């Protein structure tokens, strides 16, 4: 099938899956629904040959760049010790201990091959973690898991690389492995920072000279993760860490905040689309590979005169072993972090055993594991393939599915009521920041009012008009300040409740007026009093105004 037609089919199924997930009477996690649709597509005759290198290049850099850009840097700094422990020593321990566990389950399989399988399963998936957790989990756990998934891909792939070399050549050097790991990691981070710093510097020069075209800016930004990834891979460093470091670098430079508002709005929309489409296509491609991989797995089982249930039992046992190791590692790392926080009067608290279970189950495997295991060399004429490649591929895909199923059906139960009685720190922080901003605007208006009052003798018509406008603005800011304030119990007074309800009614009327204006604008276009270009320009202005009104409505406190 032509690649263009196949791409269009995947995009259609991605959009359809999101709609179907909303319409289904029983809630089904979107990744599982997309995998199921991929399986149906494969059975219906839709076949895709997955090139692991192309898969990694096309999907991983923009998704990691996007996730790194959205990672809150303050929380990343606060949790950096935990995140680096999970992304480094935790991956290494999982590779070694789980490798021995797999060798104990399958004694005929060589130990280096077992290490390769454990290494490829060790990194959690940044694509799936965020979508699995939702809003019912404490933000500390979410930030910890997201930070871990951004960094552990590189350490897992380095362990996988050395394990595969040892399996095929029998040669392994611990000192060489550690040296190579350090060079690959630090080199990838340095290259990602350098590429994006240079891009940010160039962009600031263009902005200073007035070159702020939104389509051009967004296109260059979309190419940045690929540039960082390919530059690092070209010199043998970690492209994954380069993409992550690049996303954080662009965020820290603040170059996006210096662009015009249209660029920022369109950039957010573009990255949302990239995240949705790429995430969906990854799970669809996984589903498309499943029937062929399952067939190969069954053939392996029959060739060994074993029951197919033995293969399923092996997959479940490996996933269980990795969950046990992950829970033990998390308990150790989080326990040490909580003890150090108490000793140093820090802010980190032990998340509780329920939070520990959530962190364990949420460590799902996904795109990187799939691409890495499919990159293992196949046997060809005159070329030796990787030992037990088909078994490793089958087991890896099976563990991916089991981890997704386990997380999808257990996380809603584990997270139910987890936030009861807890105040969302982000919501509290947003409310506090709004209060500070309104007070700042009021202070600026009072200073301006005082300045104009001291110049009463030289005041002209413009000065009188300015005083009138300042008084009206101060009244508006005072009303907003009253709406945001709370008493000592965190409850609003009767006057505040009345003010909030009045504002909600005003916003509702303004939104209704906008809808009426859109209808009238369409009638003017239909009657050919205005052309399509005029309609589009005025419609865009209304869209911006409506967005402001809706944001204003969302910022109002909730009252009974």
């Amino acid at each position: 099938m032509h690649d263009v037609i196949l791409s269009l089919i995947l995009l259609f199924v991605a959009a359809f899956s999101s709609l179907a997930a909303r319409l289904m009477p029983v809630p089904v996690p979107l990744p599982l629904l997309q995998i199921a649709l991929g399986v149906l597509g494969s059975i219906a005759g839709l076949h895709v040959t997955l090139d692991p290198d192309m898969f990694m290049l096309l999907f991983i850099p923009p998704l990691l760049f996007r996730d790194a850009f959205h990672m809150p840097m303050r929380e990343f700094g606060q949790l950096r010790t935990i995140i680096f422990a999970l992304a480094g020593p935790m991956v290494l321990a999982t590779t070694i201990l789980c490798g021995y566990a797999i060798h104990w389950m399958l004694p005929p399989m060589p130990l280096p091959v077992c290490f390769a399988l454990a290494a490829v399963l060790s990194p959690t998936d940044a694509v799936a973690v965020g979508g699995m957790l939702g809003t019912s989990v404490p933000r500390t756990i979410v930030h910890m898991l997201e930070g871990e998934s951004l960094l552990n891909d590189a350490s897992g792939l380095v362990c996988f690389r050395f394990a595969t070399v040892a399996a095929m050549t029998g040669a392994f050097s611990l000192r060489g492995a550690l040296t190579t790991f350090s060079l690959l990691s630090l080199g990838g981070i340095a290259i990602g920072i350098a590429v994006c710093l240079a891009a940010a510097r160039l962009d600031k020069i263009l902005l200073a000279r007035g070159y702020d075209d939104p389509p051009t800016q967004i296109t260059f930004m979309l190419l940045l993760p690929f540039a960082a990834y390919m530059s690092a891979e070209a010199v043998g460093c970690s492209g994954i860490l380069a993409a992550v470091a690049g996303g954080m670098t662009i965020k820290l430079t603040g170059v996006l905040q210096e662009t015009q508002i249209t660029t920022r709005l369109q950039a957010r929309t573009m990255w949302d689309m990239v995240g949705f489409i790429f995430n969906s296509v990854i799970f669809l491609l996984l589903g498309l590979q499943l029937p062929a991989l399952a067939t190969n797995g069954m053939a392996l089982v029959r060739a060994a005169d074993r029951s197919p249930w033995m293969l399923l039992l092996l997959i479940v046992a490996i996933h269980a072993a990795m969950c046990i190791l992950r829970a033990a590692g998390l308990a150790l790392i989080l326990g040490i972090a909580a003890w150090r926080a108490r000793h140093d009067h820090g802010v980190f608290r032990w998340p509780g055993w329920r939070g520990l279970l959530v962190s364990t189950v949420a460590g799902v495997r996904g795109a990187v594991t799939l691409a890495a295991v499919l990159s293992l060399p196949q046997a060809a004429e005159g070329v030796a393939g990787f030992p037990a490649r088909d078994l490793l591929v089958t087991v890896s895909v099976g563990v991916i599915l089991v981890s997704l199923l386990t997380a999808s059906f257990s996380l809603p139960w584990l997270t139910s009521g987890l936030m009861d009685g807890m105040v969302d720190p982000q919501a509290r922080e947003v409310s506090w920041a709004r209060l500070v901003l309104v007070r700042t605007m009021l202070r600026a208006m009072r200073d301006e009012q005082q300045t104009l009052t001291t110049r009463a003798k030289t005041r002209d018509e413009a000065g009188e008009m300015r005083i009138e406008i300042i008084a009206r603005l101060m009244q508006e800011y005072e009303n907003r300040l009253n709406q945001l304030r709370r008493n000592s119990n965190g409850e609003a007074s009767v006057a505040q409740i009345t003010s909030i309800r009045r504002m909600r009614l005003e916003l509702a009327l303004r939104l209704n007026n906008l809808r009426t204006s859109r209808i009238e604008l369409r009638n003017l276009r239909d009657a050919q009093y205005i052309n399509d270009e005029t309609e589009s320009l005025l419609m865009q202005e209304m869209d911006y105004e409506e967005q402001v009104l809706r944001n204003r409505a969302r910022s109002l406190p909730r009252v009974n």
Side-chain angles (χ1 to χ4, degrees):
M1 182 177 294
H2 199 282
D3 292 341
V4 175
I5 298 178
L6 178 61
S7 300
L8 293 175
I9 292 175
L10 290 176
L11 289 176
F12 171 77
V13 177
F16 173 78
S17 65
S18 180
L19 178 62
R22 294 176 179 271
L23 296 178
M24 293 186 71
V26 179
V28 177
L30 185 58
L32 292 183
L33 179 59
Q34 289 165 346
I35 291 173
L37 291 173
V39 172
L40 292 176
S42 179
I43 296 173
L46 188 65
H47 299 292
V48 178
T49 302
L50 194 61
D51 183 348
D53 293 333
M54 186 62 66
F55 179 86
M56 290 285 287
L57 174 62
L58 180 61
F59 291 100
I60 301 303
L63 290 176
L64 290 181
F65 185 93
R66 172 181 176 269
D67 290 339
F69 185 85
H70 289 134
M71 180 72 190
M73 301 307 298
R74 184 188 63 186
E75 281 72 13
F76 184 84
Q78 293 172 348
L79 299 171
R80 62 185 182 277
T81 303
I82 300 174
I83 291 173
F84 284 115
L86 291 173
M90 183 73 172
V91 170
L92 182 60
T94 301
T95 300
I96 296 173
L97 297 178
C98 193
Y100 277 112
I102 295 172
H103 185 62
W104 178 76
M105 297 178 203
L106 292 173
M109 184 179 289
L111 190 57
V113 177
C114 297
F115 286 150
L117 178 57
V120 82
L121 292 172
S122 59
T124 55
D125 183 30
V127 173
V129 166
M132 290 287 179
L133 294 176
T135 59
S136 57
V137 180
R139 301 305 299 171
T140 299
I141 295 178
V142 175
H143 296 148
M144 178 187 70
L145 294 176
E146 289 178 344
E148 174 201 6
S149 62
L150 286 174
L151 300 179
N152 63 9
D153 289 337
S155 54
L157 290 180
V158 171
C159 292
F160 176 68
R161 177 183 301 183
F162 280 101
T164 54
V165 171
M168 298 189 70
T169 65
F172 176 76
S173 169
L174 178 59
R175 181 178 179 181
L178 293 176
T179 302
T180 303
F181 174 74
S182 301
L183 292 176
L184 292 181
S185 302
L186 296 177
I189 293 173
I191 291 173
I193 293 175
V195 168
C196 291
L197 272 180
R201 178 60 179 168
L202 176 62
D203 195 37
K204 287 185 177 182
I205 294 174
L206 294 176
L207 289 174
R209 298 185 178 182
Y211 298 106
D212 190 6
D213 179 54
T216 304
Q217 291 272 4
I218 294 171
T219 302
F220 280 136
M221 186 176 298
L222 183 60
L223 293 174
L224 265 182
F226 298 103
Y229 182 91
M230 294 176 68
S231 299
E233 290 290 325
V235 296
C237 294
S238 172
I240 289 176
L241 285 180
V244 172
M248 292 184 175
T249 300
I250 288 296
K251 182 174 185 175
L252 290 174
T253 59
V255 65
L256 187 61
Q257 304 305 319
E258 299 182 14
T259 60
Q260 57 178 307
I261 185 172
T262 305
T263 302
R264 296 198 296 272
L265 292 174
Q266 292 181 6
R268 293 190 186 100
T269 303
M270 182 273 296
W271 283 114
D272 288 343
M273 290 298 299
V274 167
F276 169 74
I277 292 174
F278 279 27
N279 289 342
S280 301
V281 171
I282 284 174
F283 290 113
L284 288 173
L285 290 174
L286 175 58
L288 288 171
Q289 307 301 311
L290 272 183
L293 295 173
T295 302
N296 291 338
M298 293 300 177
L300 288 172
V301 170
R302 293 192 188 97
D305 292 329
R306 300 286 184 178
S307 169
W309 292 105
M310 294 297 294
L311 179 62
L312 180 60
L313 182 61
L314 174 65
I315 292 171
V316 173
I318 291 175
H319 176 64
M322 301 199 78
C323 284
I324 293 172
L325 290 172
R326 178 172 176 81
L330 279 167
L332 178 62
I333 294 171
L334 294 177
I336 293 174
W339 176 82
R340 288 186 58 187
R342 286 196 301 270
H343 184 266
D344 300 336
H345 305 288
V347 294
F348 182 79
R349 295 180 180 178
W350 169 258
W353 294 106
R354 197 172 176 188
L356 180 65
L357 286 177
V358 170
S359 303
T360 300
V361 175
V364 296
R365 275 72 189 175
V368 173
T369 294
L370 176 65
V373 76
L374 289 176
S375 68
L376 291 173
Q378 290 180 303
E381 186 176 353
V383 179
F386 188 83
R389 178 188 184 275
D390 291 341
L391 178 61
L392 260 66
V393 172
T394 303
V395 171
S396 298
V397 174
V399 172
I400 291 173
L401 287 178
V402 171
S403 68
L404 286 170
L405 287 168
T406 304
S408 298
F409 293 108
S410 63
L411 279 178
W413 173 69
L414 287 173
T415 59
S416 177
L418 191 61
M419 295 286 289
D420 288 350
M422 297 175 60
V423 178
D424 186 358
Q426 184 178 13
R428 181 174 55 194
E429 189 174 288
V430 168
S431 298
W432 175 81
R434 286 196 177 111
L435 275 171
V436 172
L437 294 177
V438 173
R439 286 169 178 159
T440 301
M441 290 185 288
L442 270 172
R443 186 165 57 250
M445 290 293 98
R446 290 193 184 104
D447 292 343
E448 182 70 15
Q449 189 180 50
Q450 185 177 3
T451 301
L452 290 174
T453 303
T454 58
R455 300 175 182 174
K457 295 181 179 181
T458 59
R459 200 160 54 207
D460 54 7
E461 183 179 354
E464 296 289 345
M465 189 181 301
R466 193 176 184 86
I467 289 178
E468 179 184 350
I469 294 173
I470 287 175
R472 189 165 63 248
L473 285 175
M474 288 182 64
Q475 182 62 46
E476 179 183 341
Y477 294 149
E478 289 283 359
N479 291 337
R480 192 178 301 180
L481 188 63
N482 291 332
Q483 292 164 6
L484 293 172
R485 280 174 176 161
R486 288 287 188 271
N487 59 25
S488 59
N489 297 324
E491 298 176 353
S493 65
V494 175
Q496 290 169 336
I497 292 175
T498 303
S499 177
I500 292 170
R501 287 175 176 169
R502 183 182 294 111
M503 179 56 67
R504 288 193 183 279
L505 179 58
E506 178 183 338
L507 292 173
L509 291 173
R510 287 177 179 271
L511 290 171
N512 186 65
N513 289 339
L514 281 176
R515 285 190 289 269
T516 304
S517 299
R518 283 195 179 93
I519 295 173
E520 181 62 23
L521 187 63
R522 195 173 299 115
N523 292 335
L524 292 174
R525 191 276 317 271
D526 293 340
Q528 296 188 359
Y529 290 113
I530 62 174
N531 63 8
D532 296 357
E533 186 177 3
T534 301
E535 181 199 25
S536 177
L537 178 63
L538 295 177
M539 193 71 74
Q540 185 178 15
E541 293 176 1
M542 292 181 187
D543 290 341
Y544 285 136
E545 183 178 355
E546 180 175 353
Q547 185 64 42
V548 171
L549 294 175
R550 292 191 180 278
N551 289 339
R552 181 77 181 90
R554 281 194 291 266
S555 71
L556 290 175
R558 296 185 178 276
V559 295
N560 296 327

